[in-house]
Amino acid sequence: MVLRIGNASGFYGDRATAWREMLDGGELDVLTGDYLAELTMLILGRDRLKDPATGYAKTFLRQLESVLGTALERGVRLVTNAGGLNPAGLAEAIRALATRLGLAPAVAHVEGDDLTGRAGELGLGAPLTANAYLGAFGIAECLAAGADIVVTGRVTDASLVVGPGIARFGWTRDDLDALAGATVAGHVLECGAQATGGNFAFFTELPDGARRPGFPLAELHADGSAVITKHPGTGGAVTVETVTAQLLYEIGAPAYAGPDVVADFASIALSPDGPDRVRIGGVRGLPPPPTLKVGVNALGGFRNAMTFVLCGLQIERKAELVRAQLVEALGPDGLEFALARTDRPDAADEFSASALLTVHIKDRDARRAGRTFSQAAVELALASYPGLALTAPPGDATPFGVFTSHFVPQDAAFQLAVLPDGTQRAIDAPVTTNLVKCPKNQDTPVSGFFGPERKRAPLGTLFGARSGDKGGDANIGVWARTDRAYEWLRTELTGERLKELLPETAPLPVERYELANLRAVNFVIHGILGEGVAASTRFDPQGKALGEWLRSRVVDLPAELLP
């Protein structure tokens, strides 16, 4: 017996037509949509401040309007976390939409993740949002009760896949390997087209050059194993490498902890299973930790930015002058200066002769971060360095949020499945838990496997990478394309070597983990994104390009490994 689970959304703002594409493209039993990220919860929190009836992903309703009839006709059940901060409100909005369309789906929802009202007693401060990452058993309860549509708030992304697996195969909390296998499949599906060639390091090798990757689906089996594939005729590709890339996305230690199970990523076995088919098996599971992760968003103040164009000679001196003038006008508090040396000497066009100096400000005072700051920048137009230009007119400050992660006991969140008939079913916390710890900084001693000849080449000539954000931290997963190249990778790319190649990481704590089964090494860089994406002033605030920066660095590679 196989359960075919598709994905039609990897984030709030993903391809609007994906739900239709997935329903029309081939056979499915369940179609899922992931809308929530740390930044999304902040956006929805601000929505809820303006109107308490909102707080959910409104785009889902627009997408659902055109496909609800098709899903009901074909018996495809829909599971989504688009409920955000108000799953009950979205469930009610779906019922109203269905009535208008002359349809009558059975709609259920899962709640209990929102801890904002109890934040003080739980030691979480006074945040805008505080949401526990719930597990999959509430989703399973709704599906078992006959729901056609299940709406959740903040559950783990993988729970959208694990829940249907529990409902179909009858897994209990003791079926740890099956739960772990489904968790891995869910992790592959959760970011949509990233599993089928989207954002893939070797995108030029894909059949269609990654122009329009299809969305993924998993053929889930009763033992938790799965085959990752996509509908026939859709773009992109499903290969061991595209699946590996997604497995390495936004992870930490190989012990991948969730509310229902700890999945051992070091036990994952990937193998080709035909064109655009990759089998996942062998995943081992351990009891979940005794705590739940809680994502907390608080309003941090106000931010603004202005970018100066510095053209021609004496770029550094020009940047120093702007810094001195703005510090004198505003004081140093909250100011950050980032100089991007995009200029080239003796350039043939003005664009190539120019560097960019971006000045950020963050402040609790909206006026100082707003017009006071931008006016101080504009006033330099005739009184600063030669050739002064700004890339945009002055603007007002915008509020920003600060994201932090906390942990509470599993039973601190009261997960509740609200069934289609209104019945409420409490979901008990797991009885058996386990605090799993992984050794960090697994630097393998250097070995002498390779001959003395070396050639200078970018690291990405032989290795792929994918990076992403988790609060203020980022991860970079690097994989080798051959066993021989992995031997070099695991011995040469140590934590210290990473800091040499990416100097921005040098002062920061870095954890390193080896995943020999994936021919990969994973790095977790703590603090590189500051207080999270909404507060970060980095050029790449979500750390998505860190992996490509690393791949671009030129190193001495064994000549025998190079083409």
Side-chain angles (χ1 to χ4, degrees):
M1 184 165 56
V2 173
L3 180 65
R4 291 175 61 86
I5 305 174
N7 170 281
S9 177
F11 69 101
Y12 191 13
D14 209 342
R15 190 184 306 169
T17 58
W19 288 87
R20 170 57 64 191
E21 292 173 22
M22 288 300 289
L23 283 169
D24 290 347
E27 182 182 348
L28 288 173
D29 299 303
V30 179
L31 186 54
T32 66
D34 182 3
Y35 288 78
L36 301 185
E38 294 159 1
L39 178 60
T40 315
M41 300 301 279
L42 174 66
I43 294 169
L44 296 179
R46 291 173 58 186
D47 286 348
R48 187 172 63 175
L49 276 180
K50 299 172 187 173
D51 182 357
T54 62
Y56 54 77
K58 294 174 228 174
T59 55
F60 173 69
L61 276 177
R62 294 196 290 273
Q63 292 168 305
L64 183 64
E65 182 170 2
S66 66
V67 301
L68 179 55
T70 303
L72 292 174
E73 180 184 333
R74 297 178 184 172
V76 179
R77 303 168 93 176
L78 309 181
V79 180
T80 179
N81 60 14
L85 301 176
N86 189 5
L90 178 56
E92 188 56 38
I94 291 170
R95 293 186 189 98
L97 171 65
T99 299
R100 180 164 60 81
L101 297 175
L103 302 170
V107 182
H109 73 273
V110 178
E111 57 187 47
D113 61 294
D114 193 346
L115 304 181
T116 310
R118 298 167 50 214
E121 69 181 81
L122 294 171
L124 305 175
L128 177 65
T129 69
N131 295 79
Y133 287 70
L134 301 182
F137 281 86
I139 295 171
E141 193 75 26
C142 293
L143 291 170
D148 298 308
I149 304 173
V150 181
V151 172
T152 77
R154 179 73 277 188
V155 296
T156 64
D157 300 342
S159 290
L160 302 179
V161 171
V162 180
I166 296 170
R168 171 63 67 89
F169 301 119
W171 299 330
T172 70
R173 290 196 179 275
D174 295 327
D175 294 309
L176 295 173
D177 289 348
L179 292 171
T183 297
V184 170
H187 183 73
V188 175
L189 261 58
E190 69 188 40
C191 290
Q194 278 200 160
T196 59
N199 302 347
F200 182 53
F202 303 103
F203 69 97
T204 58
E205 299 177 10
L206 298 177
D208 63 347
R211 283 189 294 274
R212 191 177 175 84
F215 277 68
L217 63 95
E219 297 173 356
L220 190 62
H221 295 263
D223 64 353
S225 64
V227 172
I228 305 300
T229 184
K230 63 186 184 70
H231 285 325
T234 55
V238 177
T239 70
V240 169
E241 283 195 280
T242 67
V243 173
T244 296
Q246 179 54 27
L247 286 172
L248 295 174
Y249 183 62
E250 294 184 346
I251 65 168
Y256 186 81
D260 299 321
V261 68
V262 174
D264 180 9
F265 271 44
S267 66
I268 298 170
L270 301 181
S271 59
D273 193 58
D276 288 319
R277 294 175 61 84
V278 173
R279 182 171 295 278
I280 300 176
V283 185
R284 295 191 299 269
L286 296 168
T291 56
L292 290 175
K293 177 182 174 180
V294 181
V296 174
N297 278 293
L299 292 177
F302 298 86
R303 63 187 296 173
N304 205 343
M306 297 288 286
T307 298
F308 293 80
V309 179
L310 315 177
C311 187
L313 306 176
Q314 298 177 297
I315 297 294
E316 298 283 349
R317 295 293 299 274
K318 290 172 180 175
E320 290 170 6
L321 176 57
V322 172
R323 176 193 290 267
Q325 289 176 307
L326 288 180
V327 168
E328 183 176 343
L330 298 164
D333 293 346
L335 289 177
E336 296 181 28
F337 298 83
L339 177 60
R341 293 303 302 264
T342 53
D343 55 302
R344 300 175 186 173
D346 194 24
D349 60 84
E350 185 178 352
F351 186 85
S352 302
S354 300
L356 298 175
L357 174 67
T358 300
V359 186
H360 297 272
I361 186 169
K362 291 195 291 188
D363 200 285
R364 290 281 182 180
D365 184 348
R367 289 173 298 178
R368 180 171 180 267
R371 288 291 173 171
T372 300
F373 164 74
S374 56
Q375 186 61 34
V378 169
E379 287 177 357
L380 299 181
L382 302 178
S384 188
Y385 63 88
L388 186 151
L390 294 164
T391 60
D396 291 326
T398 57
F400 71 89
V402 173
F403 179 87
T404 53
S405 294
H406 302 261
F407 294 89
V408 298
Q410 282 259 15
D411 59 6
F414 309 119
Q415 186 176 177
L416 200 64
V418 182
L419 308 184
D421 64 358
T423 301
Q424 297 184 354
R425 298 262 177 89
I427 307 301
D428 293 333
V431 174
T432 303
T433 60
N434 183 35
L435 191 59
V436 178
K437 293 185 178 180
C438 281
K440 301 175 183 178
N441 302 322
Q442 302 170 329
D443 285 348
T444 302
V446 175
S447 61
F449 287 128
F450 300 96
E453 187 180 356
R454 296 289 186 270
K455 290 185 178 179
R456 300 280 289 169
L459 189 72
T461 307
L462 296 177
F463 304 100
R466 179 162 290 171
S467 56
D469 63 301
K470 279 296 178 186
D473 305 335
N475 91 297
I476 308 175
V478 187
W479 78 90
R481 311 193 80 180
T482 66
D483 291 341
R484 191 85 169 119
Y486 177 63
E487 288 300 322
W488 184 92
L489 177 70
R490 66 190 289 266
T491 58
E492 296 293 335
L493 193 57
T494 63
E496 288 305 311
R497 183 62 174 136
L498 179 84
K499 291 185 175 188
E500 293 172 3
L501 293 171
L502 305 184
E504 289 180 37
T505 68
L508 303 172
V510 173
E511 297 172 11
R512 180 185 186 273
Y513 302 98
E514 293 181 7
L515 291 157
N517 54 317
L518 301 177
R519 295 194 299 221
V521 175
N522 184 47
F523 298 92
V524 180
I525 306 161
H526 291 279
I528 192 167
L529 304 180
E531 296 176 304
V533 56
S536 178
T537 56
R538 279 181 54 85
F539 176 71
D540 172 26
Q542 292 181 290
K544 306 301 185 186
L546 285 170
E548 287 302 292
W549 178 25
L550 178 62
R551 292 182 69 238
S552 74
R553 296 310 311 266
V554 176
V555 298
D556 292 318
L557 293 172
E560 64 189 86
L561 296 179
L562 292 166

